[in-house]
Amino acid sequence: MLEAIQQRLQDTFQLQAFRPGQQQVIETLLAGRSALAVFPTGGGKSLCYQLPALMLDGLTLVVSPLIALMKDQVDQLNALNIPAARLDSSVDGDQLKVIYRGMEEGSIKLLYVAPERLANERFLARLKRLSISMMAVDEAHCVSEWGHNFRPDYLKLAQLASDLNVGRVLALTATATPQVAEQIRDSFAIDQADHIQTGFFRPNLAITVSPCAQQQRDEHLFKLISSGPAGAAIVYVTLQNTAEQVAAFLKRKGLSAIAYHAGLKDEVRHQAQEAFMTGAVDIVVATIAFGMGIDKADIRAIYHYNLPKSLENYMQEIGRAGRDGKPSQCTLVASLDDLTVLENFSYGDTPDDESLAGLIHWLLRQPEQFDLSVHELSGLFDVRPLVINTLLTYLELEGVIRATSPFYTEYKVGFITPQDGVIAQFDGERAAFLAALFATGKQGRTWLTLKPIEAAESLQVERLRILNALGYLEQQGSVELRVAGVRQGYRMVAPPASADALIERLQAQFRRREQRDIERLQQVADWAQHSRCYQQGLVAYFGETLPKPCGHCSACLGKHAAMPPRHRSEVDMTVIKKMQEEGHKALASPRQLARFLCGISSPKASRARLGRHSAFASLVDAPFSEVLALCGRPQP
Ligand code: ADP
């Protein structure tokens, strides 16, 4: 067996030797057992499933949330003549057919999919007919509610692996505390002995914690960069506008810097990344959106302008420095004032009790088959879309509802062949059907808007017939289609015995999540403030022991400095009273008002344009819990 694996490594992947952990993971999988691989970013996790996938009968399904990475990997595999494909939103109808055929004929060995795709009933029905030898779950820490990046759709993957009769599962992650690792193992039934972890300690990274008051941060950062190592550097910030401001400041100071965040146009973002990768720009000032899949070996320094959200995030972000093994500097510009904004992110993700109850009662009133738009519900109940998705997943896991296929409510048809010409290609009943279908639409200047659900009703045909007809015309090249208004379909499976008990359980679950986020932040603050070796503290968080201090972090070098205390202002009662008197509908509940005053946006307040109100964020420096308590107190 070992020989066969080695042969594959050299012949197919053109690599000489395994990196730490790879061989053990591959042998475990080939022996028919599931495994958990915890390797640092760049440690070579992908090979752990790519190689065995070629040696097993059947298809390997790779679940990855990162579309850009998926594309890179599939391109690389195809360049090595490995039959791999990906299904994401950019794949069109023709490509889809080729992929489906490949899956059925067994000519595709690795199929990369986004987790959302696995919510599609029709796609699942297709998968069930196939033999799936392995499921690889990338970013597996997303299954864990203890983790720093919980994704509701991941919770369903374990159930899916068993529904699909998958031979074995490989869970992969670069960051997992012992608790998160345990939850991953439990979810996918992985033996403790098959949890394979290479060390977290990176000896070439020198960590410095450099406390600084909020107002002096820019100058402080400039000094650090000027006296730091030359070459490529990333400055991480929390907010998009901070990225812009800090990049502009560094440029004014004569440094070669550029901003990067998810709010930039695709084109601008690509240019920034390209400039950094080629070395045309030294410093990129970025939100955490930057870094996934950045394969640059010679990054010499990582600066944190703001505190990271968690030590998992911190580990991942500093892990991008010094991949070439050469000494690199990681500097945290630490100000406890950052905690406020970060805490507020978590508070914004907890629905208030009335909204949650309203939402559950709405769901329980639905018929056996129903559909919804997360966007619409978000506005209706003033709950963030991500929270609604989480809630729906909880309800699926409780067995109350079950997702069916998502569908679109609106199709815009652009005629490449004129409408009459399209109809003229068909005869008899089909021509009449198309003419009647087009007549249900609303003609705009360029697009004919069709609503398949309503059209199906008025023409007394199946909705699927309409979709098939439109799909056929598109494939033929006679029309162009655009879809809008996605709705997720559900089936009511088993309504709960007591709605109130369900609501209470869910409320408690959301509160626990909020509490854990806040604890994670506190752990960052505690770690930054202690005076022992920073590397020892960091790896201990991930359950490892570093026997000796690293010798080159600022604590080891005796340069530990105390942090300025967190700035906290008194709550100004007059502003609370004033807002209550103004009586905004979107701020009716104490939590809604407290969020608004602390600068946390919510769907309803945004739609009521309250973000521009002068009182928005006026209590941003006060503790949220205190503001919340005061907003709930009856006014004299
Ligand atoms: P991860 O997913 O753990 O972040 P990747 O799987 O993307 O890491 O691998 C990082 C890089 O290391 C890739 O360029 C990959 O080709 C390379 N690599 C992986 N395994 C080996 C190996 N055994 N020998 C040499 N290079 C390897």
Side-chain angles (χ1 to χ4, degrees):
M1 174 72 92
L2 185 54
E3 222 164 87
I5 303 175
Q6 287 284 358
Q7 198 81 40
R8 277 280 175 191
L9 181 70
Q10 287 168 6
D11 296 352
T12 312
F13 292 91
Q14 295 163 22
L15 297 172
Q16 291 316 307
F18 285 112
R19 293 220 180 125
Q22 285 180 329
Q23 188 178 330
Q24 198 186 342
V25 173
I26 292 170
E27 284 176 349
T28 305
L29 295 170
L30 290 178
R33 301 198 305 277
S34 294
L36 164 62
V38 186
F39 297 2
T41 312
K45 287 188 284 298
S46 331
L47 188 77
C48 296
Y49 56 82
Q50 289 169 347
L51 192 151
L54 303 180
M55 300 178 69
L56 293 168
D57 288 333
L59 180 74
T60 286
L61 206 56
V62 184
V63 185
S64 167
L66 306 167
I67 289 181
L69 283 194
M70 245 194 248
K71 181 174 178 335
D72 284 355
Q73 287 217 358
V74 170
D75 290 349
Q76 277 171 21
L77 290 171
N78 291 342
L80 293 168
N81 284 321
I82 296 171
R86 73 195 150 90
L87 280 182
D88 62 40
S89 47
S90 71
V91 171
D92 68 27
D94 280 347
Q95 290 167 315
L96 201 61
K97 279 207 180 127
V98 174
I99 294 172
Y100 284 163
R101 200 171 324 121
M103 283 160 58
E104 261 137 46
E105 289 169 353
S107 59
I108 290 178
K109 292 299 289 177
L110 286 128
L111 182 71
Y112 285 72
V113 294
E116 309 77 272
R117 167 76 59 167
L118 297 170
N120 185 322
E121 242 183 356
R122 270 178 301 160
F123 180 62
L124 288 181
R126 198 174 275 279
L127 285 179
K128 273 191 193 142
R129 292 200 297 269
L130 303 175
S131 147
I132 303 190
S133 54
M134 175 160 61
M135 182 156 107
V137 181
D138 204 4
E139 310 286 331
H141 56 266
C142 298
V143 296
S144 167
E145 292 185 80
W146 296 104
H148 64 296
N149 196 12
F150 169 61
R151 286 184 53 138
D153 39 7
Y154 262 66
L155 275 180
K156 289 189 273 180
L157 291 179
Q159 181 60 44
L160 186 72
S162 99
D163 288 353
L164 291 176
N165 239 331
V166 164
R168 58 200 54 67
V169 174
L170 172 60
L172 307 132
T173 174
T175 50
T177 60
Q179 201 173 21
V180 170
E182 189 183 331
Q183 202 174 355
I184 299 175
R185 293 198 309 266
D186 280 352
S187 304
F188 295 107
I190 297 168
D191 276 354
Q192 181 137 25
D194 296 326
H195 167 173
I196 296 144
Q197 181 157 336
T198 59
F200 278 103
F201 176 49
R202 297 273 310 276
N204 63 325
L205 303 186
I207 297 177
T208 298
V209 175
S210 183
C212 175
Q214 208 167 14
Q215 302 75 17
Q216 286 122 35
R217 233 194 283 230
D218 288 353
E219 283 296 337
H220 189 70
L221 175 72
F222 173 67
K223 274 191 210 134
L224 288 168
I225 296 179
S226 311
S227 60
I234 306 176
V235 178
Y236 278 111
V237 301
T238 303
L239 302 173
Q240 297 182 351
N241 62 358
T242 316
E244 307 266 359
Q245 284 160 10
V246 174
F249 167 78
L250 295 177
K251 261 199 280 197
R252 279 201 304 278
K253 289 285 200 175
L255 296 177
S256 155
I258 197 164
Y260 183 105
H261 56 77
L264 293 173
K265 287 213 179 75
D266 280 356
E267 198 179 298
V268 180
R269 227 174 42 224
H270 287 310
Q271 278 167 4
Q273 178 164 341
E274 195 61 22
F276 181 68
M277 295 301 283
T278 58
V281 162
D282 287 337
I283 304 164
V284 54
V285 185
T287 58
I288 53 172
F290 186 75
M292 294 286 190
I294 295 288
D295 206 358
K296 188 169 169 67
D298 60 351
I299 298 175
R300 288 280 72 86
I302 306 280
Y303 298 92
H304 278 83
Y305 182 90
N306 295 115
L307 289 182
K309 282 203 303 196
S310 66
L311 289 174
E312 286 96 323
N313 282 80
Y314 186 67
M315 190 64 141
Q316 222 157 22
E317 285 150 22
I318 64 169
R320 299 187 178 120
R323 296 260 188 90
D324 53 9
K326 295 189 185 150
S328 305
Q329 183 67 48
C330 305
T331 308
L332 177 67
V333 178
S335 165
L336 294 176
D337 294 339
D338 284 343
L339 292 175
T340 310
V341 168
L342 292 167
E343 282 169 2
N344 286 351
F345 279 138
S346 318
Y347 295 129
D349 280 342
T350 305
D352 53 281
D353 293 352
E354 305 86 82
S355 298
L356 185 69
L359 194 51
I360 301 277
H361 285 303
W362 181 89
L363 282 166
L364 296 180
R365 278 199 305 273
Q366 300 308 304
E368 198 187 323
Q369 299 269 357
F370 66 102
D371 53 76
L372 53 84
S373 142
V374 170
H375 177 78
E376 269 171 34
L377 287 183
S378 165
L380 208 54
F381 293 100
D382 202 19
V383 176
R384 288 186 185 179
L386 174 75
V387 179
I388 295 196
N389 279 323
T390 306
L391 177 69
L392 292 167
T393 308
Y394 285 155
L395 292 175
E396 269 194 79
L397 292 169
E398 292 237 358
V400 177
I401 55 175
R402 187 168 179 97
T404 56
S405 295
F407 60 89
Y408 299 97
T409 50
E410 217 177 85
Y411 279 69
K412 287 191 188 306
V413 186
F415 287 92
I416 299 167
T417 307
Q419 214 182 103
D420 293 345
V422 171
I423 297 172
Q425 296 167 26
F426 301 91
D427 42 39
E429 197 270 339
R430 287 156 104 209
F433 165 68
L434 279 184
L437 173 62
F438 294 152
T440 66
K442 217 167 104 194
Q443 183 66 56
R445 201 130 50 90
T446 31
W447 301 93
L448 174 75
T449 304
L450 290 178
K451 300 195 164 170
I453 301 173
E454 285 141 47
E457 189 125 314
S458 75
L459 301 178
Q460 290 293 303
V461 296
E462 292 271 332
R463 190 169 58 97
L464 207 56
R465 179 167 183 204
I466 298 177
L467 302 190
N468 286 340
L470 293 174
Y472 178 75
L473 295 177
E474 184 189 35
Q475 211 179 5
Q476 223 189 15
S478 43
V479 303
E480 186 184 342
L481 293 181
R482 289 205 185 150
V483 289
V486 65
R487 295 184 76 82
Q488 176 63 51
Y490 284 97
R491 235 198 329 267
M492 188 64 72
V493 182
S498 152
D500 289 341
L502 175 69
I503 292 168
E504 238 167 75
R505 257 196 327 276
L506 292 167
Q507 278 164 344
Q509 203 150 355
F510 277 109
R511 281 207 205 93
R512 273 199 302 277
R513 229 151 70 76
E514 176 180 286
Q515 199 49 43
R516 276 199 297 267
D517 278 352
I518 303 293
E519 277 165 22
R520 248 193 296 277
L521 271 174
Q522 197 51 50
Q523 283 164 331
V524 174
D526 292 346
W527 170 82
Q529 287 182 96
H530 74 45
S531 53
R532 298 180 307 278
C533 171
Y534 288 117
Q535 290 265 22
Q536 278 184 323
L538 201 53
V539 302
Y541 180 76
F542 292 100
E544 286 178 15
T545 313
L546 190 62
K548 279 198 306 230
C550 75
H552 55 214
C553 69
S554 56
C556 285
L557 296 175
K559 291 189 195 149
H560 175 75
M563 285 209 218
R566 184 171 178 182
H567 174 74
R568 278 288 157 101
S569 18
E570 290 280 300
V571 179
D572 174 5
M573 280 305 296
T574 54
V575 68
I576 296 183
K577 215 164 150 200
K578 175 171 165 277
M579 290 311 293
Q580 283 172 333
E581 279 162 10
E582 284 184 18
H584 297 275
K585 253 198 177 140
L587 308 179
S589 80
R591 195 172 260 271
Q592 284 172 322
L593 181 56
R595 282 201 296 236
F596 166 85
L597 293 168
C598 290
I600 305 166
S601 62
S602 81
K604 255 193 189 163
S606 303
R607 283 173 209 187
R609 305 228 174 274
L610 285 167
R612 293 194 206 135
H613 193 289
S614 62
F616 180 70
S618 58
L619 301 183
V620 73
D621 290 327
F624 178 82
S625 49
E626 216 169 281
V627 178
L628 178 61
L630 290 169
C631 288
R633 194 185 289 170
Q635 296 302 313

